[in-house]
Amino acid sequence: MPDQTYPDTNTQWWHNSVVYQIYPRSFCDANGDGIGDLTGIIHKLDYLQKLGIDLIWLSPVYKSPMDDNGYDISDYQDIASEFGTLADMETLISEAAKRNIRILMDLVVNHTSDEHPWFIAARSSRDNPYRDYYIWRAPLADGSPPDDQRSFFGGSAWEWDPTTEAYYYHLFSKRQPDLNWENPAVQQEVHQMMNWWLDKGIGGFRMDVIDLIGKQVDQKIITNGPRLHPLLQDMHQASFGSRNVLTVGETWSATPEIAKLYSDPARKELSMIFQFEHITQTWDPVHGKWKPRPFDLVEFKRIIGKWQTELADCGWNSLFWNNHDLPRAVSKYGDPGKYRVASAKMLATALHCLKGTPYIYQGEEIGMTNVRFDSIDDYQDIESLNHYHERIAAGVPHEEMMEGIYANGRDNARTPMQWNHQANAGFTTGTPWLKLNPNYPQINAEAALADPDSIFYHYQQLIRLRKTSALLTYGDYQPLLEDHPQIFAYLRHLGEQRLLVVNSFSAQPIELNLPRELNTIKGKGIISNYTIRHDLENKTRLAPYESFAIEF
Ligand code: ISL
Ligand code: CA
């Protein structure tokens, strides 16, 4: 047998990269105004280098009125004053580069802010040259909106503009008007802007709700519209295609078949996408995220296994438990209480031993948890607030809605990063824009760095393994114990090398009954959250949330 270490076709630098997502507003405040900023990020680059990550996905820092915390952009080529200046951004790019870290910019081009000069011009008169940058429709005879389409943030997707007497279309807040991607001028503006950033030496783009840009509004085709893939191919060709960067699309509507359209290198679109099937399986089919369903590990394994298998030879997976829109992983899938440390490490191993590019969301590496504020007034997220008011008005009891927000509200991920046990967790010397999670005296980066057994060092170990193991990067995925309700186990194969990965999602000790041929393996343990295992005895008892990987 030839020693097949690396498959020789289509290897890319980002195949063994690990990405760390920063939500700038909540990361580190250097000037005491209560809002995280670019200088704060620069101060923490050594911390990130120590963790070992290769890229930072920076949630938006562009000029913005902050209706949706920066996902409403009023100037793509400038920085919001609360985050700093363009010079600070250039410093961040170069300081990160010194530490071998690249910056992924968040490309938010489904919509702009209503304060973007394009929109200000577009709404000034019907014959303004920018009119066609956005989507306008006449009212129905009785003055009502053209149709019943809804915004993801609640209410109609149509907003009346009294000056020009027409409705404009917005899939998010009414302060986020959708761009008209059928207009070639819009496409060119975006390509130019992307090139301007690429010339600054960024490492690529995370593309916000990119599956929406091919929409056909009148036919109510919103996701996966007919123009989507041609638009991405044009974008590839006109901007990043020649630059060897990483591009990742946020695509809630992707199936594995669709993911291959995006990420098959031969099609020249994106490096990879974020798929959300494993996320939405925990939502209610009717009420969505506000009525969470219990986590079902068997279903989760079926979904993840399907994605691993379907993209094995074509396309590429991205791997994540959480982001700035989602609850904290340890609260959702692990145990935020007694077994917080063990379960956070288990979740890390379970994800990082899969095939794909792992993404870590700020604070995940120290096991930050969800938050429960008593009053709705302590929440800041536009999605939670809009839906709260809409649903309360529709008769949903306050307590029921709060349970939805506690489980899935976006502010869970947005409470400030917990750096130390001092005032405001060392996040700010001022008044934080969003209250902290009160558990910061126990859960913080300083404590994690001081403890060689911490979640932080577990992540560091996993990142190092990915750098050195072709098996982790390229090995095939084979599921084990598919119907087991509490164990997520799988094999990775590359040539003669094999890796067994076992993860218990149980707070009780449980028996591990692997297929007979695996029961007696001997090899080399590469990671564990208890004592390292190099082999398996015939019957193995797993400790609560135990997780390990053995190469053999
Ligand atoms: O989680 C969600 C689905 O119900 C939404 O909160 C979210 O809007 C959706 O995930 C799309 O997210 C992206 O685009 C939004 C922005 O608010 C999110 O922060 C961003 O990640 C609009 O730009
Ligand atoms: Ca600040």
Side-chain angles (χ1 to χ4, degrees), residues 286-448:
V286 179
H287 303 279
K289 68 199 296 184
W290 308 118
K291 213 166 180 200
R293 284 200 287 195
F295 176 58
D296 177 344
L297 184 67
V298 173
E299 180 65 3
F300 174 84
K301 291 190 287 187
R302 188 190 62 74
I303 293 167
I304 293 294
K306 176 178 76 179
W307 281 85
Q308 289 284 300
T309 311
E310 295 264 342
L311 300 194
D313 303 316
C314 176
W316 192 255
N317 272 295
S318 60
L319 310 168
F320 68 98
W321 284 118
N322 43 204
N323 65 29
H324 67 293
D325 294 331
L326 302 173
R328 291 280 178 184
V330 71
S331 297
K332 179 104 191 170
Y333 308 99
D335 173 4
K338 185 172 171 197
Y339 294 113
R340 186 181 64 87
V341 173
S343 65
K345 291 179 182 173
M346 179 281 287
L347 293 170
T349 302
L351 192 84
H352 284 243
C353 289
L354 292 169
K355 184 175 174 187
T357 298
Y359 289 73
I360 301 167
Y361 179 67
Q362 70 183 40
E364 180 186 333
E365 78 283 12
I366 58 169
M368 280 176 63
T369 65
N370 280 354
V371 75
R372 292 173 76 96
F373 294 136
D374 292 333
S375 165
I376 185 68
D377 299 331
D378 287 330
Y379 287 87
Q380 302 274 353
D381 167 34
I382 183 170
E383 183 189 56
S384 296
L385 295 176
N386 285 2
H387 281 280
Y388 176 87
H389 294 300
E390 195 174 280
R391 293 172 150 256
I392 295 295
V396 174
H398 165 84
E399 291 71 25
E400 190 182 314
M401 190 56 200
M402 290 312 285
E403 285 309 319
I405 291 177
Y406 293 153
N408 281 328
R410 305 198 299 183
D411 281 340
N412 282 311
R414 301 177 181 185
T415 61
M417 177 71 186
Q418 296 165 198
W419 292 105
N420 59 41
H421 64 272
Q422 285 157 22
N424 293 319
F427 162 71
T428 181
T429 54
T431 308
W433 71 277
L434 175 66
K435 280 170 65 174
L436 283 109
N437 191 314
N439 62 19
Y440 71 80
Q442 294 77 46
I443 304 174
N444 61 69
E446 189 180 78

Side-chain angles (χ1 to χ4, degrees), residues 68 111 153 172 206 208 250 252 289 324-325 383 410:
D68 185 18
H111 44 268
F153 288 168
F172 295 89
R206 174 268 185 184
D208 193 64
E250 185 204 23
W252 284 77
K289 68 199 296 184
H324 67 293
D325 294 331
E383 183 189 56
R410 305 198 299 183

Side-chain angles (χ1 to χ4, degrees), residues 116-170:
H116 195 291
W118 299 338
F119 190 69
I120 294 173
R123 77 187 318 180
S124 68
S125 75
R126 286 197 196 174
D127 53 11
N128 187 280
Y130 286 94
R131 183 70 172 179
D132 214 22
Y133 274 43
Y134 295 88
I135 301 166
W136 301 92
R137 294 291 181 270
L140 297 183
D142 65 354
S144 59
D147 59 39
D148 60 356
Q149 292 189 61
R150 309 278 298 167
S151 145
F152 292 119
F153 288 168
S156 169
W158 296 102
E159 182 68 14
W160 178 244
D161 176 53
T163 317
T164 57
E165 299 194 318
Y167 282 95
Y168 67 84
Y169 187 78
H170 63 92

Side-chain angles (χ1 to χ4, degrees), residues 29 31 33 35-37 82:
D29 173 23
N31 67 353
D33 67 353
I35 299 173
D37 43 51
E82 54 263 72

Side-chain angles (χ1 to χ4, degrees), residues 12-24:
Q12 300 287 348
W13 63 269
W14 38 261
H15 280 167
N16 67 356
S17 292
V18 177
V19 186
Y20 184 92
Q21 184 192 353
I22 290 183
Y23 195 67

